[in-house]
């Protein structure tokens, strides 16, 4: 009897392990849909003469960020939670020594960075985090379209997706992260550490990159530069939202494995309670709220779908805490404020072609602060946390918001300054006027009769 | 290079099965890094040649 019972338990463990491996594995192709969406969205928001160049930029940002994440980014995440000293944290799953042991693709740690029949976790976790990194890098992409050089942009994407996001995640999305343990920073769905970091990195680059030729008049007033295909843009935005479900499901830590926080309960990455059902309620309510909020003033499908994104981002930090009606209220407010915020930025001479700084940056910070108001007093870490660990508070979220702003803006501005000095940032004005595709892409986006202006084909 | 495990049991429990598991992983990673840098440098050169033609 005992032997049979042991067999049943062992069999159940095998099932649980393969379920967990499959769960995270399937989050990866779902997150790929975010990139399908970005591709469609940005190519649609581009004029005919620049469509293929926009697509090339997206594909390369994804590819190089993934490789850089494999080689360096994963190490940043495990090495730096307690700060740049790289010391080990309370949970003993952080620090340079720990990262050297599990996250370098050379030496002994390489056994966790490739096929290993005894390891059902490292690859799927790495894959999910790699898609988080690529998503962070791609958020910046749309803001820069039609005048950023390809290789210069790829370098920006590598720095953002690998270093800026890797450090932000280490500090704010890790049980040993100093923002979590010392300030009670809480960001379940990465409103700050993905969206705000990416949005303000984009702002730092935009300030050096400058506007598209023809965006602003001599008196400083702005012209609207319409993309060539609103349908592709709006459908792309919807696909990004589909992909968000994969992103957010991968933010849950399943139970019953050696790496789980608990044997029977799913949790957030902080070890606090979380279920897929909570996401079922809250994510769709956020989408609805964001669309409705944006519709009130804009009546424009581009801004309505951007409102859906903003809706999710505005509540992402507290999806594990909010009640669905609460989510709807916050997301509706986010949808309402995106257009005025984007207009405010444009009035200051910033040409953010798709509103990425506002939708991801501003709303990401808005979401962090709103959670600081409504979630104040909730635990930031699970019961295993050391005594004296901070709880969620407005001050903690404010500190986190400032850190996320700086982790995005400062490296973005510095990298853009260096690239600009090297002549690798801005496409020359003459090329912008002719079109990027006819100058540097040996292919045609559309059939005869729809030739790109200036094309030699 | 070569098959890194001494037995099936060892292979199925705790041994990395990838090519290079016996010490070559670092070289493959190094080559990958060099490839990325060279490809970006070549891409940048090609891009600027095209821009120069249209200035």
């Amino acid at each position: 009897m005992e032997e049979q019972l042991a067999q049943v338990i062992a069999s159940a463990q095998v099932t649980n392990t393969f379920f967990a491996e499959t769960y995270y594995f399937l989050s990866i192709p779902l997150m790929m849909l975010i990139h399908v969406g970005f591709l469609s969205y940005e190519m649609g928001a581009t004029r005919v003469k620049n469509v293929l160049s926009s697509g090339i930029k997206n594909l390369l940002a994804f590819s190089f960020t993934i490789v850089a994440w494999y080689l360096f980014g994963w190490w940043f995440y495990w090495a730096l939670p307690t700060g740049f000293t790289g010391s080990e944290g309370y949970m003993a799953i952080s620090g340079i020594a720990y990262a050297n042991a599990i996250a370098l693709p050379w030496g002994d740690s390489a056994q966790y960075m490739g096929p290993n029949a005894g390891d059902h976790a490292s690859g799927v976790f790495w894959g999910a985090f790699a898609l988080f990194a690529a998503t962070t890098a791609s958020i910046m992409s749309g803001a820069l379209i039609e005048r950023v050089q390809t290789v210069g942009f790829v370098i920006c994407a590598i720095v953002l997706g690998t270093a800026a996001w890797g450090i932000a995640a280490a500090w704010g999305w890790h049980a040993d992260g100093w923002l979590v343990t010392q300030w009670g920073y809480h960001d379940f769905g990465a409103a700050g550490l993905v969206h705000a970091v990416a949005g303000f990195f984009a702002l730092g680059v935009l300030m050096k990159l400058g506007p598209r030729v023809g965006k602003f008049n001599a008196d400083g007033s702005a012209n609207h530069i319409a993309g060539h295909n609103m349908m592709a843009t709006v459908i792309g935005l919807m696909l990004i939202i589909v992909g968000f479900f994969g992103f957010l499901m991968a933010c849950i830590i399943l139970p019953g494995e050696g790496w789980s926080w608990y044997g029977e309960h799913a949790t957030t990455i902080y070890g606090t309670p979380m279920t897929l059902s909570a996401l079922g309620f809250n994510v769709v309510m956020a989408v609805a709220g964001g669309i409705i909020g944006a519709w009130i003033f804009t009546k424009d499908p581009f801004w309505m779908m951007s409102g859906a994104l903003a809706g999710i981002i505005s509540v992402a930090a507290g999806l594990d805490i909010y009640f669905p009606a609460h989510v709807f209220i916050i997301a509706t407010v986010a949808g309402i404020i995106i257009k005025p915020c984007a207009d405010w930025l444009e009035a200051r001479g910033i040409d953010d072609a798709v509103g990425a700084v506002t939708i991801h940056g501003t709303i990401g910070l808005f979401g962090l602060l709103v959670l600081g108001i409504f979630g104040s007093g909730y635990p930031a870490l699970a019961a295993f946390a050391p005594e004296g660990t901070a709880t969620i508070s407005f001050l903690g979220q404010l500190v986190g918001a400032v850190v996320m702003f700086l982790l995005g803006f400062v490296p973005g501005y510095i990298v853009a300054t260096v690239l600009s000095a090297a002549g690798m940032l801005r496409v020359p004005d003459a090329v912008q006027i002719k079109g990027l595709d006819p100058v540097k892409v040996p292919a045609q986006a559309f059939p005869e009769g729809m030739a790109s202006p200036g094309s030699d084909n | 290079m070569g098959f890194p495990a001494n037995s099936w049991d060892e292979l199925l429990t705790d041994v990395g099965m990838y090519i290079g598991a016996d010490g070559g992983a670092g070289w493959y990673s190094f080559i990958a890094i060099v490839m990325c840098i060279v490809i970006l440098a070549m891409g940048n050169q090609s891009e600027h040649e095209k821009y120069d033609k249209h200035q």
Side-chain angles (χ1 to χ4, degrees):
Chain A
M1 182 66 182
E2 284 184 10
E3 188 178 337
Q4 287 175 321
L5 191 58
Q7 284 178 345
V8 169
I9 291 171
S11 179
Q13 185 59 55
V14 169
T15 302
N16 194 74
T17 297
F18 277 92
F19 170 74
E21 190 174 21
T22 306
Y23 175 92
Y24 292 111
F25 180 79
L26 291 180
S27 76
I28 297 170
L30 264 176
M31 280 192 273
M32 284 292 291
L33 282 177
I34 294 175
H35 298 274
V36 177
F38 275 128
L39 194 66
S40 175
Y41 162 53
E42 291 178 30
M43 291 177 85
T46 304
R47 288 168 289 183
V48 169
K49 63 182 179 179
N50 300 321
V51 169
L52 297 178
S53 295
S54 278
I56 288 170
K57 181 171 60 56
N58 280 60
L59 297 174
L60 288 177
F62 177 85
S63 305
F64 275 98
T65 305
I66 292 289
V67 177
W69 183 258
Y70 179 77
L71 294 168
F72 307 110
W74 195 223
W75 185 89
F76 284 134
Y77 176 70
W78 291 106
L80 302 176
T82 58
F84 287 120
T85 60
S87 59
E88 186 180 78
Y90 176 83
M91 298 299 297
I93 51 171
S94 59
I96 289 174
Y98 185 78
N100 288 347
I102 65 150
L104 286 176
W106 51 78
D108 288 344
S109 75
Q111 65 182 298
Y112 301 110
M113 296 296 284
N116 184 333
D119 180 358
H120 294 268
S122 296
V124 288
F125 279 131
W126 176 85
F129 270 74
L131 265 292
F132 294 152
T135 300
T136 309
S138 295
I139 286 169
M140 164 188 64
S141 174
L144 317 179
I145 55 173
E146 302 195 304
R147 78 284 204 195
V148 70
Q149 291 187 24
T150 304
V151 174
F153 167 76
V154 169
I155 292 170
C156 289
I158 290 171
V159 174
L160 169 57
T162 304
W165 183 71
I167 294 170
W171 290 357
W173 218 36
H174 191 294
D176 279 338
W178 68 268
L179 276 174
V180 181
T181 57
Q182 295 178 32
W183 292 96
Y185 178 77
H186 194 83
D187 193 3
F188 164 77
L193 50 93
V194 165
H195 296 284
V197 168
F200 289 108
F201 191 103
L203 178 62
V205 176
L206 283 169
M207 289 173 69
K208 293 301 296 184
L209 177 65
R212 290 167 287 182
V213 171
K215 175 63 184 177
F216 292 106
N217 302 310
D219 64 359
S221 59
N223 300 308
H224 175 62
I225 299 178
H228 84 287
N229 190 331
M230 177 70 98
M231 281 193 295
T233 297
V234 173
I235 291 169
L237 281 162
M238 187 63 95
L239 282 169
I240 292 173
I241 286 165
V242 174
F244 265 34
F245 283 86
F247 185 107
L248 293 167
M249 71 184 273
C251 298
I252 295 178
I253 303 298
L254 296 183
E257 295 298 300
W259 40 261
S260 303
W261 289 128
Y262 294 105
E264 297 174 352
H265 306 292
T267 65
T268 67
I269 206 161
Y270 308 110
T272 52
M274 186 54 181
T275 63
L276 271 176
S277 281
L279 288 184
F281 279 121
N282 285 344
V283 179
V284 289
M285 288 292 274
V287 171
I291 290 174
I292 292 169
W295 176 73
I296 293 172
F297 291 125
T298 70
K299 309 293 188 288
D300 176 341
F302 170 79
W303 285 105
M304 289 165 67
M305 282 311 304
S306 297
L309 270 184
I312 296 176
I313 295 165
S314 69
V315 296
L319 281 168
D320 54 327
I321 293 174
Y322 292 134
F323 187 70
H326 204 174
V327 161
F328 177 78
I329 294 166
I330 297 167
T332 302
V333 172
I336 290 171
I337 65 175
I338 51 172
K339 187 65 167 65
C341 289
D343 290 345
W344 183 87
L345 202 63
E346 189 174 82
R348 274 138 194 87
I350 300 295
D351 178 15
D352 178 358
V354 296
V357 176
T358 296
I359 294 161
H360 297 274
T362 307
I363 299 299
L365 296 190
F366 168 78
L368 291 180
L369 298 179
V370 167
L371 180 64
I373 296 169
F374 294 111
S376 193
Y378 277 72
L381 270 177
F384 52 70
E387 195 173 334
T389 297
T391 57
I392 299 172
S393 68
F394 182 78
L395 179 62
Q397 294 298 100
L398 178 63
V399 169
V402 171
V403 170
M404 295 306 158
F405 171 83
L406 294 173
L407 274 176
F409 181 78
V410 172
Y413 190 81
I414 292 172
V415 171
T417 301
V418 172
L419 289 171
S420 182
M424 292 175 63
L425 188 63
R426 183 177 172 84
V427 171
D429 288 0
V431 175
Q432 286 189 49
I433 292 166
K434 184 176 178 66
L436 276 59
D437 287 3
V439 170
K440 63 178 184 178
V441 183
Q444 178 85 25
F446 299 100
E448 65 274 23
M450 293 181 67
S452 305
S455 172
D456 298 327
N457 296 323
Chain B
M1 288 192 284
F3 201 62
N6 296 314
S7 68
W8 278 105
D9 284 345
E10 187 183 356
L11 185 68
L12 290 171
T13 52
D14 61 358
V15 172
M17 200 169 56
Y18 50 85
I19 294 171
D22 54 348
W27 283 109
Y28 290 119
S29 298
F30 176 73
I31 292 167
I33 293 169
V34 172
M35 282 175 62
C36 286
I37 293 169
V38 170
I39 290 166
L40 281 175
M42 290 171 62
N44 187 55
Q45 185 180 12
S46 165
E47 190 176 5
H48 279 257
E49 284 171 0
K50 291 185 170 70
Y51 293 152
D52 292 342
K53 282 183 189 171
H54 291 84
Q55 290 279 34

